[in-house]
């Protein structure tokens, strides 16, 4: 494929989900195409005021704010809600940040999600770019991103996840460590709440590479790669120590830490109920219902294809099946 054609597909991977997002805005009459806004409920009552506060704190270099009650740790609050580097684009614009600007940034995030997933998929193979374009659009506009469309602080992790996965693969196959370390560092900085799940995913993805290599590597090679992987991961955490320590202190003072950990294993819902949630047309599950596992049906279909393909080694089939079972349990087990 020519360089010009590659650049075209990279551009389309951003523009297609961005354009679909605009159509969604038009259909739901979101400003500037109507009188409504995405910044509603917690987005309006909590996150938008916090963004305004973060904007003030950024230029005044405040780490403690007296704008609420007797004051609060502004740095810890930012680590949870407003650390996304993308907000800097808005903070640097003239005037105070507006609801319209926050909503427009949702479209930018859709585009970036499509772009990073396409980068990951295209790095695996340059064949079938149209199929990869469709898949990257599906990733950007998955049920997760649409359902949590106004939970702005969670979306950067969706953008960065394909780069973390690609970084691990380059690290394991080519000994290139920079992409993994940098993408994980930005993920942790952006939002600790989702980033610890990305960190867990990173460990799983590393072992996926171990299984893929199989007997092509010696134990000494596995050990050296494992130690270097741990060093890169700890390096990303070390850069973020101000965030981790600040959030850790804030969380230690919440009511949640006083609840005891479960002492016995318990499934919240029958497995069949969990699987049924993945079918099209199922309504949203609220507080005590089975988990909403978004993008799950397509994942299950790909899992089935992998398990029955002759070209997939037996060790990978076992790993894939175990991983699918682990993920299903993680959504439904009390521990």
């Amino acid at each position: 494929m020519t360089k010009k054609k590659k650049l075209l597909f990279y551009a389309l991977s951003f523009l297609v989900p961005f354009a679909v997002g605009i159509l969604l805005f038009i259909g739901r009459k979101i400003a500037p195409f109507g009188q409504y806004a995405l910044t509603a409920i917690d987005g309006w009552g909590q996150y938008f005021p916090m963004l305004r506060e973060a904007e003030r704190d950024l230029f005044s270099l405040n780490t403690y704010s007296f704008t609420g009650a007797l004051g609060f740790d502004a740095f810890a609050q930012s680590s949870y809600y407003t650390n996304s580097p993308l907000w800097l684009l808005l903070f640097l614009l003239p005037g105070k940040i507006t609801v319209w600007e926050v909503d427009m940034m949702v479209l930018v995030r859709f585009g970036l999600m499509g772009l990073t997933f396409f980068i990951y998929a295209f790095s695996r193979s340059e064949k079938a770019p149209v199929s990869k374009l469709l898949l990257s659009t599906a990733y950007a506009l998955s049920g997760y991103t649409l359902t949590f469309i106004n939970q702005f602080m969670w979306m950067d992790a969706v953008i960065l996840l394909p780069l973390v996965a690609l970084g691990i693969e380059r690290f394991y196959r080519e000994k290139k460590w920079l992409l993994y370390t940098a993408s994980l560092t930005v993920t942790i900085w952006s939002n600790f709440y989702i980033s610890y799940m990305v960190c867990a995913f990173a460990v799983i993805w590393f072992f996926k590479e171990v299984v893929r290599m199989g007997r092509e590597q010696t134990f000494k090679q596995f050990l050296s790669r494992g130690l270097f992987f741990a060093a890169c991961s700890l390096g990303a955490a070390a850069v973020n120590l101000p965030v981790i320590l600040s959030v850790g202190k804030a969380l230690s003072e919440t009511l949640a830490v006083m609840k005891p950990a479960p002492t016995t294993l318990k499934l919240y819902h029958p497995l069949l109920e969990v699987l049924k949630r993945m079918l099209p047309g199922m309504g949203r599950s609220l507080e005590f219902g089975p988990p909403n596992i978004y993008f799950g049906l397509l994942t299950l279909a790909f899992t089935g294809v992998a398990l029955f393909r002759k070209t997939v080694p037996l060790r990978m089939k076992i790993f894939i099946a175990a991983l699918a079972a682990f993920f299903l349990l993680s959504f439904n087990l009390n521990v």
Side-chain angles (χ1 to χ4, degrees):
M1 185 181 293
T2 64
K3 187 177 180 180
K4 191 174 181 180
K5 196 171 182 180
K6 286 181 185 178
L7 290 174
L8 173 63
F9 274 103
Y10 282 128
L12 286 174
S13 68
F14 179 92
L15 292 173
V16 171
F18 184 88
V20 173
I22 290 178
L23 293 177
L24 292 173
F25 272 41
I26 294 171
R28 300 303 296 175
K29 298 180 179 179
I30 305 295
F33 309 105
Q35 72 272 35
Y36 298 110
L38 289 177
T39 308
I41 314 173
D42 286 350
W44 172 250
Q46 294 184 55
Y47 313 144
F48 183 71
M50 289 173 184
L51 280 170
R52 279 280 181 91
E53 181 68 19
E55 186 178 30
R56 286 193 294 268
D57 292 339
L58 176 68
F59 294 108
S60 63
L61 302 179
N62 285 339
T63 59
Y64 196 86
S65 176
F66 288 97
T67 57
L70 295 177
F72 58 91
D73 186 344
F75 191 82
Q77 178 176 276
S78 294
S79 301
Y80 200 120
Y81 293 103
T82 59
N83 261 6
S84 168
L86 292 173
W87 294 131
L88 288 174
L89 299 176
L90 300 185
F91 293 165
L92 295 174
L93 292 176
K96 293 181 180 179
I97 191 171
T98 66
V99 168
W100 180 80
E101 290 171 343
V102 172
D103 286 352
M104 288 300 102
M105 193 56 71
V106 170
L107 298 179
V108 173
R109 284 187 165 98
F110 282 168
L112 291 174
M113 290 170 195
L115 175 60
T116 57
F117 192 92
F118 186 83
I119 289 170
Y120 172 78
F122 204 62
S123 73
R124 303 291 294 270
S125 167
E126 294 187 3
K127 296 178 181 178
V130 175
S131 297
K132 291 178 172 64
L133 178 62
L134 292 173
L135 193 59
S136 66
T137 302
Y139 176 80
L141 301 172
S142 69
Y144 179 85
T145 57
L146 295 179
T147 300
F148 298 114
I149 198 168
N150 63 354
Q151 305 292 316
F152 316 115
M153 61 279 183
W154 294 351
M155 293 299 109
D156 281 33
V158 185
I159 297 170
L160 292 162
L161 183 64
L163 299 182
V164 171
L166 178 59
I168 292 170
E169 292 178 5
R170 284 186 177 174
F171 164 80
Y172 207 91
R173 302 174 192 189
E174 305 170 34
K175 297 182 180 179
K176 295 179 179 178
W177 57 271
L178 185 58
L179 178 61
Y180 168 65
T181 308
S183 56
L184 188 66
T185 299
V186 179
T187 303
I188 296 172
W189 173 267
S190 178
N191 181 255
F192 89 95
Y193 183 79
I194 301 297
S195 68
Y196 81 78
M197 303 180 199
V198 175
C199 290
F201 166 84
V203 174
I204 292 169
W205 211 246
F206 174 83
F207 279 102
K208 184 270 295 183
E209 285 296 291
V210 174
V211 173
R212 184 191 65 83
M213 288 290 290
R215 294 181 180 178
E216 295 178 25
Q217 63 183 341
T218 64
F219 179 75
K220 186 178 179 180
Q221 288 173 323
F222 158 70
L223 191 61
S224 66
R225 285 172 175 148
L227 291 173
F228 193 29
F229 173 75
C232 291
S233 304
L234 290 173
V239 172
N240 284 290
L241 268 181
V243 169
I244 295 169
L245 295 176
S246 179
V247 168
K249 182 177 182 299
L251 288 176
S252 69
E253 297 170 355
T254 63
L255 291 174
V257 299
M258 300 178 186
K259 293 183 179 180
T263 55
T264 56
L265 293 177
K266 176 187 174 184
L267 290 176
Y268 291 121
H269 305 281
L271 181 59
L272 186 60
E273 289 296 315
V274 175
L275 294 173
K276 281 169 60 178
R277 300 299 311 171
M278 300 185 192
L279 296 175
M282 297 295 290
R284 283 177 298 170
S285 178
L286 299 177
E287 190 173 357
F288 297 110
N292 300 302
I293 306 176
Y294 298 112
F295 210 49
L297 188 63
L298 192 56
T299 305
L300 275 185
F302 287 150
T303 301
V305 169
L307 292 178
F308 288 100
R309 284 189 73 175
K310 293 181 180 179
T311 54
V312 178
L314 178 62
R315 65 179 183 275
M316 280 303 297
K317 290 181 179 181
I318 294 171
F319 181 82
I320 289 168
L323 192 56
F326 170 77
F327 280 137
L328 282 173
L329 277 175
S330 73
F331 290 124
N332 197 38
L333 190 65
N334 65 335
V335 176

